[in-house]
Structure formats: structure tokens, C-alpha cells
Amino acid sequence: DTGVSQNPRHKITKRGQNVTFRCDPISEHNRLYWYRQTLGQGPEFLTYFQNEAQLEKSRLLSDRFSAERPKGSFSTLEIQRTEQGDSAMYLCASSLGTGFDTDTQYFGPGTRLTVL
Amino acid sequence: QKEVEQDPGPLSVPEGAIVSLNCTYSNSAFQYFMWYRQYSRKGPELLMYTYSSGNKEDGRFTAQVDKSSKYISLFIRDSQPSDSATYLCAMSGNTGGFKTIFGAGTRLFVKA
């Protein structure tokens, strides 16, 4: 297994455009998380999935953001009508998630978004 | 006030020094404590994972958790230039979900 992968690695877009990012978790990992990280800050939780169910969303996730995980495999994060404040690194992580406790999350390399 | 506080540094030490990194937190529900290392423009990489209070050692790294003081530490012995990175503390627990809260990260520079 090659770990968590994210595509694209970099995205430059103009304000107002829509963007979509993809995350492929480690195979057999049931939980998938999305985070946003800005310069000089730690990752901020956005949302997570247990299999295909989206179980928690941060208030950071405005109505312009939507995430899906069809069939409990890969996930997509879409940002509509991008704003300059959306410029950040978007990180995906996955974990086994077979129990009722927190378990170890493994991160992907991230997608760096720049909104001009 | 943030749930997790971490001094952003930067922290600069000579090669071979013992490095001490710390975080404080406010939510007593946290039970799982992690330390991640992040190189520039890369995703975080898990270093240590501790449940509840106590110490855990892995090679040159030692993690300590003091739940009574809401204080966690990471010690790096015999630091190397390759340890230069940002170190993020993270924690989660009985907060009604599996959300993990990260500190802002401490930038560490180990000089050869």
C-alpha cells in the first residue's frame, strides 16, 4: 500500500471558480478526514466519514464546501465560488476506524490551493 | 482561548542537543495524545501516540502526558539536522466524535 494519496497536489484558480479535490485513503481504512491548514497553523478539522456516512462537519465548512465519499472508498471535497480566504493546504487523512475510539490517522501529502 | 496551545517557536538547537517540545490543553475530555512531524510542504507524519497519562519511548523520542496538569511533552534525544521540521501536537477523545484538535506547531531547527 502506498499510503494516502491526494490529487491534484497544487491548484491555482481564480476567485469565483469551483474546484474539486480527490483523496484516496489507505485501502481497508473506514474513516476518512478532511482538514485545512494555513501557514503557521496546525490542521483544522473540516469533516470526517465513517465508510460512506458523513458523521461530523465543522462550522468552518460553509455551504460553499461539500464533501462526499461514495461507496466508502475515495472522497472528494468541492469548494464552490472560491474566495481568496480559501487559499490553504487541504489535507486528507484516513484511519482503520473499526472501533468506538479514536485511532491513528495517516495523512496524505495535501492539495495546495491558491485563489487569485 | 484555543483548546490546544503550542509555542510556534522557532526553536534552534545545536546537533546532539536534547529538545523539549510542549503543549497545553483545556479540554479534560481529551484521552488520546499524538505528536506529528511535518516537513515543509508535506503532510503530517505520526511520530508518537499515547493513551491517557504516562510516558512512551520510541528510539530517540519520548512522549509524556500529564493529564492532571493538562500538559504534554515530546523529548528528542541526540537531535539531528534531519529532525528539523515542524512538530504538531494533537489530541482527541470523548468529545462526542472523532475530531482531532491540533496545536499550531513548533518549528525546530537543528544546526549541524
Side-chain angles (χ1 to χ4, degrees):
Chain A
D1 195 344
T2 57
V4 179
S5 62
Q6 292 187 246
N7 288 289
R9 295 291 308 278
H10 305 275
K11 179 69 176 179
I12 299 174
T13 191
K14 292 183 179 179
R15 188 177 55 184
Q17 298 294 306
N18 299 344
V19 295
T20 300
F21 309 140
R22 176 177 171 129
C23 172
D24 287 90
I26 294 172
S27 58
E28 300 176 354
H29 275 195
N30 297 306
R31 285 191 197 133
L32 187 147
Y33 305 78
W34 284 100
Y35 293 85
R36 181 173 68 186
Q37 186 176 25
T38 53
L39 195 63
Q41 299 298 316
E44 294 177 290
F45 171 82
L46 292 178
T47 188
Y48 89 93
F49 293 83
Q50 178 77 37
N51 299 311
E52 67 274 11
Q54 188 175 17
L55 296 186
E56 189 172 351
K57 292 194 296 185
S58 165
R59 62 180 181 276
L60 293 173
L61 216 65
S62 75
D63 56 4
R64 297 185 298 105
F65 288 71
S66 62
E68 294 182 342
R69 193 183 182 196
K71 303 178 183 177
S73 56
F74 71 92
S75 176
T76 58
L77 177 68
E78 181 183 17
I79 308 175
Q80 296 181 327
R81 305 182 304 279
T82 53
E83 302 173 355
Q84 287 183 325
D86 297 331
S87 296
M89 173 81 90
Y90 290 84
L91 291 163
C92 175
S94 71
S95 68
L96 275 172
T98 54
F100 296 101
D101 296 326
T102 297
D103 57 349
T104 304
Q105 295 177 39
Y106 296 88
F107 281 82
T111 294
R112 182 169 296 280
L113 172 66
T114 301
V115 181
L116 301 176
Chain B
Q1 183 187 5
K2 292 183 178 180
E3 280 189 283
V4 178
E5 297 281 357
Q6 183 176 11
D7 187 337
L11 179 62
S12 183
V13 301
E15 183 176 359
I18 297 175
V19 176
S20 173
L21 304 166
N22 312 292
C23 287
T24 58
Y25 63 95
S26 57
N27 191 340
S28 58
F30 289 141
Q31 295 177 297
Y32 302 90
F33 304 92
M34 288 76 74
W35 285 96
Y36 285 84
R37 178 174 62 195
Q38 186 173 27
Y39 292 111
S40 182
R41 300 186 177 273
K42 303 287 186 183
E45 169 195 13
L46 181 70
L47 282 175
M48 304 283 286
Y49 180 96
T50 308
Y51 172 70
S52 195
S53 287
N55 295 359
K56 187 172 184 179
E57 187 173 323
D58 184 2
R60 296 185 296 112
F61 298 91
T62 299
Q64 289 185 350
V65 175
D66 182 348
K67 291 190 71 179
S68 62
S69 302
K70 298 190 179 68
Y71 186 87
I72 70 171
S73 302
L74 178 71
F75 297 95
I76 307 174
R77 291 183 299 279
D78 188 24
S79 56
Q80 303 295 310
S82 59
D83 294 327
S84 297
T86 296
Y87 290 79
L88 298 155
C89 63
M91 45 200 80
S92 64
N94 252 347
T95 57
F98 298 106
K99 182 171 60 177
T100 300
I101 307 299
F102 283 80
T106 300
R107 291 192 69 189
L108 171 67
F109 296 96
V110 181
K111 299 172 293 186

